[in-house]
Amino acid sequence: MTPPCIISVAITGSLPKKKDNPAVPISISEQIESTQAAYEAGATLVHLHVRNDDETPTSAPERFATVLDGIRKHAPGIITQVSTGGRSGAGHERGAMLSLRPDMASLATGSVNFPTRVYDNSPELVEWLAGEMKQYGVKPEVEAFDLSMIFQAVAMQRAGQIVGPLHIQFIMGIKNAMPVDREVFEFYVRTLKRLAPDATWTGAGIGRAQRTLAQWSLELGGHCRTGLEDNVRLDKDTLAPSNAALVKQVAQLCAEYDRRPASVAEARALLGLPAAVTA
Ligand code: ZN
Protein backbone atom coordinates (compact mmCIF):
# COMPACT_ATOMS: atom_id res chain seq x y z
CA MET A 1 0.00 0.00 0.00
CA THR A 2 1.43 3.37 -1.00
CA PRO A 3 0.99 5.85 1.81
CA PRO A 4 -0.81 9.17 1.41
CA CYS A 5 1.53 11.98 0.43
CA ILE A 6 2.83 14.52 2.92
CA ILE A 7 2.98 17.82 1.04
CA SER A 8 5.64 20.10 2.51
CA VAL A 9 5.49 23.77 1.68
CA ALA A 10 8.65 25.85 1.89
CA ILE A 11 6.95 29.22 2.02
CA THR A 12 9.78 31.77 2.09
CA GLY A 13 13.37 30.52 2.07
CA SER A 14 16.29 32.88 2.31
CA LEU A 15 16.76 33.84 -1.34
CA PRO A 16 13.65 34.78 -3.36
CA LYS A 17 12.74 38.45 -3.08
CA LYS A 18 9.51 40.35 -3.61
CA LYS A 19 10.98 41.54 -6.92
CA ASP A 20 11.23 37.87 -8.04
CA ASN A 21 7.64 37.17 -7.03
CA PRO A 22 5.52 39.56 -4.96
CA ALA A 23 3.77 36.55 -3.39
CA VAL A 24 6.89 35.56 -1.39
CA PRO A 25 5.72 36.04 2.23
CA ILE A 26 8.17 38.14 4.26
CA SER A 27 6.33 39.89 7.09
CA ILE A 28 5.07 37.88 10.03
CA SER A 29 1.44 38.30 9.00
CA GLU A 30 2.21 37.37 5.39
CA GLN A 31 3.96 34.20 6.54
CA ILE A 32 1.05 33.17 8.75
CA GLU A 33 -1.55 33.90 6.05
CA SER A 34 0.46 32.10 3.39
CA THR A 35 0.83 29.03 5.61
CA GLN A 36 -2.89 28.98 6.40
CA ALA A 37 -3.82 29.14 2.71
CA ALA A 38 -1.28 26.40 1.84
CA TYR A 39 -2.67 24.25 4.67
CA GLU A 40 -6.19 24.69 3.35
CA ALA A 41 -4.91 23.61 -0.09
CA GLY A 42 -3.46 20.36 1.35
CA ALA A 43 -0.04 21.11 2.85
CA THR A 44 0.63 19.28 6.12
CA LEU A 45 4.19 20.44 6.80
CA VAL A 46 5.55 23.99 6.68
CA HIS A 47 9.28 24.59 6.24
CA LEU A 48 10.18 27.95 7.67
CA HIS A 49 12.86 30.60 7.32
CA VAL A 50 12.27 34.06 8.76
CA ARG A 51 13.45 37.40 7.39
CA ASN A 52 13.75 40.92 8.66
CA ASP A 53 11.32 43.40 7.12
CA ASP A 54 14.08 44.45 4.66
CA GLU A 55 14.00 40.80 3.41
CA THR A 56 17.42 39.85 4.85
CA PRO A 57 17.44 36.38 6.45
CA THR A 58 17.66 36.19 10.24
CA SER A 59 17.72 33.39 12.79
CA ALA A 60 16.28 35.58 15.58
CA PRO A 61 14.34 33.27 17.91
CA GLU A 62 11.86 36.05 18.76
CA ARG A 63 10.77 36.28 15.14
CA PHE A 64 10.50 32.49 14.83
CA ALA A 65 8.47 32.37 18.06
CA THR A 66 5.89 34.88 16.81
CA VAL A 67 5.50 33.17 13.44
CA LEU A 68 5.25 29.69 15.01
CA ASP A 69 2.57 30.93 17.42
CA GLY A 70 0.50 32.33 14.58
CA ILE A 71 0.91 29.22 12.46
CA ARG A 72 -0.13 26.92 15.29
CA LYS A 73 -3.25 29.03 15.73
CA HIS A 74 -4.23 29.41 12.06
CA ALA A 75 -3.11 26.04 10.66
CA PRO A 76 -3.91 23.74 13.57
CA GLY A 77 -1.87 20.55 13.63
CA ILE A 78 0.39 21.43 10.70
CA ILE A 79 3.90 20.05 11.19
CA THR A 80 6.25 22.96 11.88
CA GLN A 81 9.79 22.66 10.57
CA VAL A 82 12.42 25.38 11.01
CA SER A 83 15.44 25.78 8.76
CA THR A 84 18.90 25.64 10.30
CA GLY A 85 20.35 26.60 6.91
CA GLY A 86 23.42 28.73 6.55
CA ARG A 87 22.21 32.00 5.11
CA SER A 88 20.45 33.17 8.24
CA GLY A 89 23.44 33.07 10.56
CA ALA A 90 26.79 31.51 11.32
CA GLY A 91 27.76 28.60 13.56
CA HIS A 92 25.58 28.02 16.59
CA GLU A 93 23.33 30.96 15.68
CA ARG A 94 21.82 28.59 13.14
CA GLY A 95 20.23 26.52 15.91
CA ALA A 96 19.19 29.38 18.16
CA MET A 97 15.48 28.71 17.56
CA LEU A 98 15.52 24.97 18.36
CA SER A 99 14.65 25.63 22.01
CA LEU A 100 11.23 26.79 20.73
CA ARG A 101 10.56 23.07 20.13
CA PRO A 102 9.17 23.10 16.59
CA ASP A 103 8.12 19.60 15.46
CA MET A 104 11.09 19.33 13.09
CA ALA A 105 14.20 21.12 11.85
CA SER A 106 16.33 20.73 8.76
CA LEU A 107 19.75 19.15 9.27
CA ALA A 108 22.32 19.02 6.48
CA THR A 109 24.74 16.21 7.29
CA GLY A 110 27.57 17.45 5.06
CA SER A 111 28.87 20.33 2.98
CA VAL A 112 28.14 21.07 -0.66
CA ASN A 113 28.70 23.75 -3.28
CA PHE A 114 25.75 26.06 -3.98
CA PRO A 115 25.47 28.44 -6.96
CA THR A 116 27.80 31.10 -5.54
CA ARG A 117 29.13 29.75 -2.24
CA VAL A 118 30.01 26.76 -0.16
CA TYR A 119 27.17 25.52 2.04
CA ASP A 120 29.42 24.85 4.95
CA ASN A 121 28.38 22.18 7.46
CA SER A 122 31.41 21.14 9.49
CA PRO A 123 31.29 17.86 11.43
CA GLU A 124 31.36 19.86 14.67
CA LEU A 125 28.36 21.97 13.65
CA VAL A 126 26.35 19.00 12.35
CA GLU A 127 26.89 17.14 15.63
CA TRP A 128 26.04 20.20 17.69
CA LEU A 129 22.80 20.85 15.76
CA ALA A 130 21.80 17.19 16.06
CA GLY A 131 22.52 17.34 19.80
CA GLU A 132 20.29 20.40 20.22
CA MET A 133 17.49 18.71 18.25
CA LYS A 134 17.79 15.63 20.44
CA GLN A 135 17.74 17.73 23.61
CA TYR A 136 14.60 19.64 22.61
CA GLY A 137 12.75 16.68 21.05
CA VAL A 138 12.90 18.11 17.52
CA LYS A 139 12.89 15.56 14.71
CA PRO A 140 15.53 16.26 12.05
CA GLU A 141 14.74 16.29 8.37
CA VAL A 142 18.07 15.29 6.89
CA GLU A 143 18.86 17.35 3.80
CA ALA A 144 20.68 15.02 1.40
CA PHE A 145 22.40 17.10 -1.26
CA ASP A 146 24.61 14.14 -2.05
CA LEU A 147 24.89 10.39 -1.43
CA SER A 148 27.40 10.69 1.43
CA MET A 149 24.86 12.66 3.45
CA ILE A 150 22.50 9.66 3.49
CA PHE A 151 25.28 7.45 4.86
CA GLN A 152 26.17 10.10 7.43
CA ALA A 153 22.56 10.28 8.63
CA VAL A 154 22.39 6.50 9.02
CA ALA A 155 25.68 6.50 10.95
CA MET A 156 24.40 9.24 13.26
CA GLN A 157 21.19 7.35 13.89
CA ARG A 158 23.12 4.16 14.72
CA ALA A 159 25.30 6.19 17.10
CA GLY A 160 22.21 7.53 18.88
CA GLN A 161 22.74 11.13 17.69
CA ILE A 162 19.47 11.01 15.76
CA VAL A 163 16.53 9.38 17.53
CA GLY A 164 13.76 7.40 15.82
CA PRO A 165 13.17 6.58 12.15
CA LEU A 166 15.06 8.82 9.73
CA HIS A 167 13.32 11.30 7.50
CA ILE A 168 15.44 12.30 4.53
CA GLN A 169 14.90 14.87 1.83
CA PHE A 170 16.68 14.32 -1.50
CA ILE A 171 17.41 17.66 -3.17
CA MET A 172 18.15 17.94 -6.87
CA GLY A 173 18.59 20.82 -9.26
CA ILE A 174 20.76 23.28 -7.31
CA LYS A 175 23.51 24.64 -9.56
CA ASN A 176 26.90 23.09 -8.67
CA ALA A 177 25.24 20.40 -6.51
CA MET A 178 23.39 17.21 -7.60
CA PRO A 179 21.58 17.65 -10.94
CA VAL A 180 18.17 16.20 -11.68
CA ASP A 181 19.00 12.61 -12.58
CA ARG A 182 16.51 9.77 -12.47
CA GLU A 183 19.04 6.96 -12.04
CA VAL A 184 20.70 8.68 -9.11
CA PHE A 185 17.31 9.42 -7.60
CA GLU A 186 16.34 5.75 -7.77
CA PHE A 187 19.70 4.82 -6.29
CA TYR A 188 19.08 7.23 -3.38
CA VAL A 189 15.70 5.63 -2.71
CA ARG A 190 17.11 2.10 -2.95
CA THR A 191 20.11 2.87 -0.77
CA LEU A 192 17.98 4.45 1.93
CA LYS A 193 15.62 1.46 1.90
CA ARG A 194 18.60 -0.91 2.24
CA LEU A 195 20.30 0.99 5.07
CA ALA A 196 17.23 2.22 6.98
CA PRO A 197 14.10 0.25 6.01
CA ASP A 198 11.84 2.27 8.33
CA ALA A 199 12.94 5.65 6.95
CA THR A 200 10.59 8.05 5.14
CA TRP A 201 11.68 10.42 2.38
CA THR A 202 10.73 13.47 0.37
CA GLY A 203 11.93 14.63 -3.04
CA ALA A 204 12.65 18.33 -3.55
CA GLY A 205 13.40 19.84 -6.95
CA ILE A 206 14.66 23.38 -7.42
CA GLY A 207 13.21 25.72 -10.04
CA ARG A 208 11.63 23.93 -12.96
CA ALA A 209 12.68 20.59 -11.44
CA GLN A 210 10.07 21.05 -8.71
CA ARG A 211 7.34 19.34 -10.69
CA THR A 212 9.63 16.56 -11.96
CA LEU A 213 10.74 15.64 -8.45
CA ALA A 214 7.12 15.70 -7.25
CA GLN A 215 6.18 13.26 -10.04
CA TRP A 216 9.09 10.92 -9.26
CA SER A 217 8.36 11.02 -5.54
CA LEU A 218 4.68 10.24 -6.02
CA GLU A 219 5.57 7.38 -8.36
CA LEU A 220 8.16 5.83 -6.03
CA GLY A 221 6.18 6.15 -2.80
CA GLY A 222 7.80 9.21 -1.28
CA HIS A 223 6.55 12.59 -0.16
CA CYS A 224 6.65 15.96 -1.94
CA ARG A 225 7.99 19.40 -1.28
CA THR A 226 6.85 22.53 -3.04
CA GLY A 227 6.76 26.25 -2.32
CA LEU A 228 8.17 29.60 -3.31
CA GLU A 229 11.51 28.97 -1.53
CA ASP A 230 12.48 26.53 -4.27
CA ASN A 231 10.54 27.82 -7.26
CA VAL A 232 8.61 31.03 -7.89
CA ARG A 233 6.82 29.85 -11.04
CA LEU A 234 3.67 27.82 -11.61
CA ASP A 235 4.94 26.89 -15.09
CA LYS A 236 7.51 28.36 -17.41
CA ASP A 237 5.28 31.26 -18.46
CA THR A 238 3.49 32.02 -15.19
CA LEU A 239 4.61 33.31 -11.80
CA ALA A 240 3.02 31.30 -9.00
CA PRO A 241 0.31 33.49 -7.50
CA SER A 242 0.85 31.95 -4.04
CA ASN A 243 2.28 29.06 -2.06
CA ALA A 244 -1.25 27.65 -1.98
CA ALA A 245 -1.33 27.51 -5.79
CA LEU A 246 1.86 25.41 -5.81
CA VAL A 247 0.42 23.11 -3.14
CA LYS A 248 -2.78 22.73 -5.14
CA GLN A 249 -0.70 21.71 -8.16
CA VAL A 250 0.89 18.85 -6.19
CA ALA A 251 -2.41 17.86 -4.61
CA GLN A 252 -3.89 17.49 -8.11
CA LEU A 253 -0.86 15.54 -9.28
CA CYS A 254 -1.41 12.96 -6.51
CA ALA A 255 -4.42 11.42 -8.26
CA GLU A 256 -2.35 10.65 -11.37
CA TYR A 257 -0.21 8.35 -9.24
CA ASP A 258 -3.03 6.82 -7.24
CA ARG A 259 -2.03 8.84 -4.20
CA ARG A 260 -3.82 11.46 -2.14
CA PRO A 261 -2.61 14.23 0.16
CA ALA A 262 -2.18 13.05 3.76
CA SER A 263 -4.26 14.58 6.52
CA VAL A 264 -2.44 16.23 9.39
CA ALA A 265 -3.03 13.18 11.59
CA GLU A 266 -1.73 10.83 8.87
CA ALA A 267 1.32 12.99 8.22
CA ARG A 268 2.19 13.04 11.92
CA ALA A 269 1.76 9.26 12.19
CA LEU A 270 3.90 8.64 9.07
CA LEU A 271 6.74 10.71 10.53
CA GLY A 272 6.39 9.26 14.04
CA LEU A 273 5.48 12.65 15.50
CA PRO A 274 3.07 13.09 18.40
CA ALA A 275 -0.51 13.93 17.53
CA ALA A 276 -1.25 17.64 17.38
CA VAL A 277 -2.34 19.28 20.59
CA THR A 278 -5.75 20.77 19.95
CA ALA A 279 -6.63 23.94 21.81
ZN1 ZN B 1 14.90 26.13 3.45
Side-chain angles (χ1 to χ4, degrees):
M1 267 286 283
T2 320
C5 175
I6 303 165
I7 303 177
S8 300
V9 62
I11 57 168
T12 301
S14 51
L15 273 188
K17 295 273 169 64
K18 289 276 187 197
K19 69 174 167 46
D20 303 312
N21 185 329
V24 176
I26 304 290
S27 72
I28 289 169
S29 60
E30 284 172 346
Q31 287 197 303
I32 295 167
E33 280 164 30
S34 190
T35 303
Q36 183 182 1
Y39 167 82
E40 285 163 4
T44 40
L45 189 160
V46 59
H47 170 83
L48 203 61
H49 297 242
V50 293
R51 311 252 198 116
N52 297 309
D53 290 331
D54 67 359
E55 301 195 45
T56 55
T58 172
S59 52
E62 306 73 35
R63 185 121 184 163
F64 268 108
T66 312
V67 177
L68 285 169
D69 266 3
I71 287 176
R72 287 176 183 136
K73 212 164 290 161
H74 291 93
I78 197 168
I79 297 165
T80 54
Q81 180 189 91
V82 298
S83 168
T84 63
R87 280 194 193 86
S88 51
H92 293 193
E93 260 180 332
R94 287 170 47 181
M97 78 305 270
L98 294 170
S99 59
L100 300 170
R101 298 178 186 271
D103 294 299
M104 299 182 78
S106 60
L107 178 68
T109 49
S111 301
V112 63
N113 277 357
F114 273 1
T116 58
R117 66 187 187 105
V118 179
Y119 182 28
D120 191 334
N121 296 291
S122 70
E124 185 279 326
L125 179 63
V126 173
E127 286 190 14
W128 181 80
L129 285 169
E132 293 287 293
M133 291 179 202
K134 187 173 168 179
Q135 180 185 340
Y136 293 112
V138 178
K139 181 179 172 105
E141 173 181 85
V142 172
E143 307 303 330
F145 295 94
D146 214 332
L147 186 60
S148 63
M149 299 178 194
I150 299 170
F151 280 83
Q152 187 60 25
V154 171
M156 289 178 76
Q157 187 200 33
R158 288 180 183 165
Q161 294 167 295
I162 294 177
V163 184
L166 288 174
H167 181 68
I168 305 226
Q169 179 158 265
F170 308 127
I171 302 119
M172 288 185 156
I174 296 180
K175 189 180 174 216
N176 301 327
M178 182 55 73
V180 178
D181 185 292
R182 172 74 187 213
E183 272 191 52
V184 172
F185 190 76
E186 287 182 18
F187 188 72
Y188 280 172
V189 173
R190 224 166 43 235
T191 302
L192 181 62
K193 202 166 277 179
R194 175 168 64 83
L195 298 175
D198 60 350
T200 48
W201 60 271
T202 297
I206 306 305
R208 286 173 66 179
Q210 188 166 73
R211 189 180 169 86
T212 308
L213 268 285
Q215 288 168 315
W216 292 354
S217 300
L218 288 168
E219 183 189 339
L220 299 177
H223 305 286
C224 295
R225 164 158 147 166
T226 190
L228 295 166
E229 169 171 352
D230 301 340
N231 166 38
V232 296
R233 315 192 77 82
L234 206 51
D235 58 49
K236 74 176 180 6
D237 304 314
T238 325
L239 280 185
S242 62
N243 277 302
L246 289 168
V247 169
K248 202 170 282 175
Q249 208 175 39
V250 177
Q252 284 166 352
L253 210 51
C254 283
E256 291 179 33
Y257 295 88
D258 212 15
R259 305 277 302 271
R260 61 176 174 81
S263 68
V264 160
E266 288 169 333
R268 287 180 169 275
L270 283 163
L271 294 176
L273 294 169
V277 186
T278 42

